Structure formats: C-alpha cells, structure tokens
Amino acid sequence: SSVEIGESVRGEDVYIIQSGCGEINDNLMELLIMINACKIASSSRVTAVIPCFPYARQDKKDKSRAPISAKLVANMLSVAGADHIITMDLHASQIQGFFDIPVDNLYAEPAVLQWIRENIAEWRSCIIVSPDAGGAKRVTSIADRLNVEFALIHKERKKANEVDRMVLVGDVKDRVAILVDDMADTCGTICHAADKLLSAGATKVYAILTHGIFSGPAISRINNAAFEAVVVTNTIPQEDKMKHCSKIQVIDISMILAEAIRRTHNGESVSYLFSHVPL
C-alpha cells in the first residue's frame, strides 16, 4: 500500500491511530509504513495509538514451535520508527516489556464502572464474574471498586478456541451476574459461562468486554444465548455487528484515548486515566 502524508510533519508531534481489527495484517502494514513515512519526513516524535493491539494473545510459547507474534509486532513497530505506543487493555500487561520504548496501556475499567452504575439498576447487589482464571485480577479490581462480590469460572481447553469443561467458583444464586473479560472472539467461552451462571441460579447475565472481535459464529451464539446485553467498547468498530445483534451495546472510549493523546502531547501525567473517566 502506498502512503503519502498530505502536509508537512517536520518537527511535529505525530499521532497515528490504527486499531488491530478487520484486515489486521493490511492495517498493521499500513501503520508501519505510515510511521516510517512520518519518521523519515523529520517529525519530532511518532506515537502509534493502537486501541486493540494485534496478535496480543500470542504472547508466549504455549506449545512447541509456536511463534511469539506479539513480540514480533513490537519489534516491527520499533524498527518502523515508533517512539511511543498508546494502547488499551493489553491481553497481558507484560507485552509492555516487549518494547524498549514507552507504552501506555490504558484501561477501559473506569468507563466500564460508569456503564455498570448507570445501566444496571441492581448493581449494588450484583456479582462480577471472570470467565477464566486469567482475568481474575481484572474482575477483583472491578468488584473492589463497586464493593461487590466476585466469582470465577475455571475452564480447561483442549484446542485454542474451544472450551472443554467449566467449573464455577463462587455463589451467584439470585444475583445479577456480570461477566467481564478483555476480549471476546468466537464467544464460545462467554456463552458457555452464561449458561453455567444461569444454571447456578443467577437472575440475569450481562457480559462486558473491552475488545469485541466477534469472529465466526460469535453473533449467532450471542443471539441464542441468554444475555441481557453484551457490552463492548469501540476499540474495534461495532456498527456492522450491532445491525445483526440487538444485544450488543457500545461504550465509547474515544475520549479516553483523546485525553491520553492530549496529556502526552502536553507532557502531563496519564495515570489519572487509570482510575477516572475524563470529563
């Protein structure tokens, strides 16, 4: 793909926004070429704003001869000339350590808390549930901030996208259950988890996910599952998905990224955004 920057960027502080969704590899390549185009056009600093980091799940060798693609993406961004990365809810925070340049890993959590308080009437007696043990930290943090209980579901996988059996740890009887995770791809896990929660006595089930990838059978699974709502942020555009599924609702996180860019540009601290939604 050919890239031409339409005006002078000499000495400028450049922010390039590109999320890892849709045609991921085309988008990534375009981002790399744009970073490099700005770099060799003498911009003072290039920041890649990547709301959904591509290949983030490939962050360790989970079996023999598997690639660590997230590290490769990190190297590619650095080699292309990125000076700084702004991203959101990395699948594993350690991915920040794949870079030698600064990475701001913003959290959707403050926006999620705001959504829960504004849209779930019975939030004071709800229970926050993690659909896998890996997300326990995220869930306990949200439960603490809302001052409610949490539960987790332990799952055993045989293959990468398929779940085998699930065990619920915690008591969800007669409560509104809110499933929280960082991403939903084929939605097998959260749909299984929803069934598990309802059979354990939950009154309603919501799912709140930062990155709604929704590939393959995801939409039909959600339509057939018993969710009140499946809430995602717009780190990945959701307009098309919302047409085919009335349960999908969107939390807009553009103001979080905008504020992060403004603070970075002005040399201010970004840590306020880890616990607050910008006004």
Side-chain angles (χ1 to χ4, degrees):
S1 67
S2 146
V3 165
E4 196 177 325
I5 311 295
E7 55 183 286
S8 170
V9 293
R10 183 176 297 274
E12 298 284 4
D13 188 13
V14 178
Y15 293 81
I16 302 175
I17 303 179
Q18 177 78 287
S19 205
C21 57
E23 294 294 329
I24 291 187
N25 298 328
D26 292 355
N27 287 355
L28 178 59
M29 200 63 205
E30 186 177 82
L31 174 62
L32 296 169
I33 293 171
M34 278 188 76
I35 290 170
N36 196 244
C38 291
K39 197 70 186 169
I40 61 178
S42 304
S43 59
S44 68
R45 174 171 69 165
V46 181
T47 300
V49 183
I50 313 173
C52 183
F53 193 83
Y55 295 99
R57 278 183 290 188
Q58 202 58 266
D59 59 353
K60 55 182 178 291
K61 280 177 72 169
D62 41 10
K63 50 183 184 289
S64 296
R65 297 176 295 282
I68 307 181
S69 317
K71 172 69 175 169
L72 178 62
V73 172
N75 288 344
M76 286 159 71
L77 287 162
S78 299
V79 166
D83 299 299
H84 181 199
I85 307 289
I86 296 177
T87 183
M88 191 161 222
D89 276 1
L90 283 172
H91 187 63
S93 322
Q94 294 92 305
I95 292 175
Q96 292 172 92
F98 290 175
F99 291 91
D100 290 331
I101 55 178
V103 178
D104 285 317
N105 178 29
L106 301 170
Y107 300 138
E109 182 181 296
V112 166
L113 291 166
Q114 186 181 22
W115 190 92
I116 291 174
R117 290 190 181 111
E118 288 174 5
N119 295 278
I120 300 179
E122 347 40 352
W123 67 267
R124 283 184 174 82
S125 59
C126 73
I127 185 160
I128 312 291
V129 187
S130 172
D132 64 351
K137 213 168 176 179
R138 187 180 292 103
V139 164
T140 47
S141 169
I142 288 176
D144 282 347
R145 300 279 299 276
L146 292 173
N147 198 18
V148 296
E149 303 277 308
F150 73 94
L152 42 109
I153 288 173
H154 170 68
K155 65 182 175 189
E156 294 166 4
R157 285 181 187 270
K158 289 272 192 290
K159 286 198 196 77
N161 311 29
E162 298 166 30
V163 183
D164 250 350
R165 54 187 219 99
M166 295 189 137
V167 185
L168 173 64
V169 184
D171 179 22
V172 298
K173 193 166 165 52
D174 302 327
R175 305 240 187 123
V176 172
I178 305 175
L179 277 164
V180 177
D181 208 354
D182 66 319
M183 62 170 68
D185 184 359
T186 57
C187 294
T189 302
I190 59 165
C191 291
H192 267 120
D195 295 341
K196 191 86 190 164
L197 291 169
L198 288 169
S199 62
T203 53
K204 289 179 186 167
V205 182
Y206 291 84
I208 305 183
L209 318 144
T210 306
H211 308 296
I213 302 168
F214 299 141
S215 64
I219 296 297
S220 65
R221 281 176 176 170
I222 291 172
N223 282 327
N224 297 328
F227 292 110
E228 294 294 309
V230 174
V231 184
V232 292
T233 70
N234 57 353
T235 53
I236 296 172
Q238 299 295 347
E239 289 77 18
D240 295 348
K241 303 286 191 299
M242 290 169 79
K243 285 179 193 144
H244 299 114
C245 181
S246 57
K247 290 181 187 173
I248 294 177
Q249 296 186 28
V250 171
I251 298 173
D252 181 23
I253 50 90
S254 57
M255 74 281 180
I256 298 179
L257 292 172
E259 183 64 8
I261 291 171
R262 190 193 67 75
R263 284 170 178 257
T264 305
H265 177 66
N266 295 332
E268 300 170 20
S269 165
V270 176
S271 52
Y272 174 85
L273 296 174
F274 296 154
S275 47
H276 299 83
V277 179
L279 300 166

